[in-house]
């Protein structure tokens, strides 16, 4: 008498939900996984694209996605439920979010103006508050900041993403690059965003997913032309040369591995945020290698 053999539980395909922002650098990172160039037996990766401030809030309040892009500023608020993957970060090497305005301001003058920011929990805002704790801010969707500043609704804006490469074409002036300010202050790169993974997945699955992301990043770097062509659909009006430059700024060797100074920079940024009263509670940073 024959019977159908039972299927072992560990042979079931496990779905891992991944969310990242609709930006060319994130798309480049996840190109290998999103196009099934990188596969992991027993796992299925599904991708959702949403703006970073929404992802920060979903991770904090709902633990919604298994793997999620986050701002490093958001990590203290979700550290109980997520750990940081040791790859996939966007790090500014002497560059980062910028304060831009239609006219030149001194640093003392700009501290007295109201600035449009892309979100409370963005790392850009954390760096801004470390630079000028007293500065007045108002949240504006990141892709509306330059138009709102040009319309005269704000004296200046704090720009992230591709705006860092296009602000001058719009006739705006750079008042301060917070990546340079941070490097001058600490001697370290400025960590902006990373990928977090849900602790409830268990250590083994967390490590498997982290390795898959690292392979996806490496695949993009090894197949740059194809990965860039895929990422161009998220490049928001950048031409290919500028998109390639932007991706190069935020997807590189440090994206594969933060390095010791990169890890130190993440801890330093968050510790300083706590010491200065921007972040209300102590931070414990755990990396999944």
């Amino acid at each position: 008498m024959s019977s159908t053999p039972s299927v072992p539980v560990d042979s079931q395909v496990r779905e891992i939900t991944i969310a990242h922002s609709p930006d060319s650098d994130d798309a480049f990172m996840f190109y290998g996984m999103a196009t099934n160039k990188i596969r992991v037996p027993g796992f299925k990766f599904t991708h959702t694209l949403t703006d970073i401030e929404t992802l920060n809030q979903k991770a904090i309040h709902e633990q919604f996605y298994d793997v999620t892009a986050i701002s490093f500023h958001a990590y203290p608020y979700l550290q109980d439920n997520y750990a940081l993957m040791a790859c996939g970060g966007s790090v500014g090497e002497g560059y980062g979010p910028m304060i831009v305005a239609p006219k030149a301001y001194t640093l003392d003058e700009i501290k007295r103006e109201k600035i449009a920011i892309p979100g409370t929990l963005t790392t850009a805002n954390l760096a801004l508050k470390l630079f000028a704790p007293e500065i007045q801010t108002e949240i504006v969707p990141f892709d509306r900041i330059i138009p709102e500043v040009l319309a005269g609704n704000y004296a200046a804006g704090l720009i992230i993403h591709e705006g860092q490469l296009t602000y001058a074409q719009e006739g705006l002036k750079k008042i301060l690059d917070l990546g340079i300010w941070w490097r001058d202050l600490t001697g370290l790169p400025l960590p902006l965003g990373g990928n977090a993974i849900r602790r409830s997945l268990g250590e083994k699955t967390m490590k498997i997913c982290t390795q898959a992301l690292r392979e996806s990043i490496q695949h993009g770097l090894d197949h740059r032309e194809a990965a860039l062509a895929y990422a161009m659909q998220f490049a928001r009006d950048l031409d290919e040369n500028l998109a390639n430059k932007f991706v190069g700024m935020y997807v590189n060797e440090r994206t594969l591995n933060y390095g010791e100074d990169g890890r130190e920079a993440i801890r330093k940024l968050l510790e300083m945020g706590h010491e200065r009263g921007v972040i209300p509670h102590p931070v414990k940073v755990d990396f999944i290698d």
Side-chain angles (χ1 to χ4, degrees), residues 235-283:
R236 277 190 293 270
D237 301 328
L238 291 187
D239 63 33
E240 192 168 343
N241 286 336
L242 277 181
N244 188 37
K245 182 178 179 183
F246 180 73
V247 166
M249 288 166 65
Y250 291 114
V251 189
N252 45 50
E253 288 301 312
R254 203 181 280 282
T255 315
L256 288 168
N257 189 322
Y258 288 114
E260 284 309 310
D261 59 337
R263 293 186 185 214
E264 181 190 348
I266 294 166
R267 293 191 179 98
K268 178 101 176 167
L269 180 71
L270 298 178
E271 284 168 7
M272 197 180 291
H274 175 56
E275 289 163 5
R276 304 274 180 92
V278 184
I279 296 168
H281 45 266
V283 186

Side-chain angles (χ1 to χ4, degrees), residues 158-179:
L158 181 61
I159 56 170
I160 57 175
H161 300 319
E162 295 91 344
Q164 294 166 266
L165 298 180
T166 61
Y167 71 91
Q169 297 168 16
E170 307 279 2
L172 295 173
K173 301 181 189 317
K174 177 172 67 177
I175 311 302
L176 179 66
D177 185 322
L178 286 165

Side-chain angles (χ1 to χ4, degrees), residues 39-59:
R39 301 184 186 199
V40 180
F43 288 86
K44 176 189 177 188
F45 300 107
T46 58
H47 299 258
T48 300
L49 277 62
T50 307
D51 73 278
I52 194 68
E53 187 71 353
T54 299
L55 293 181
N56 289 335
Q57 297 295 340
K58 276 186 174 289

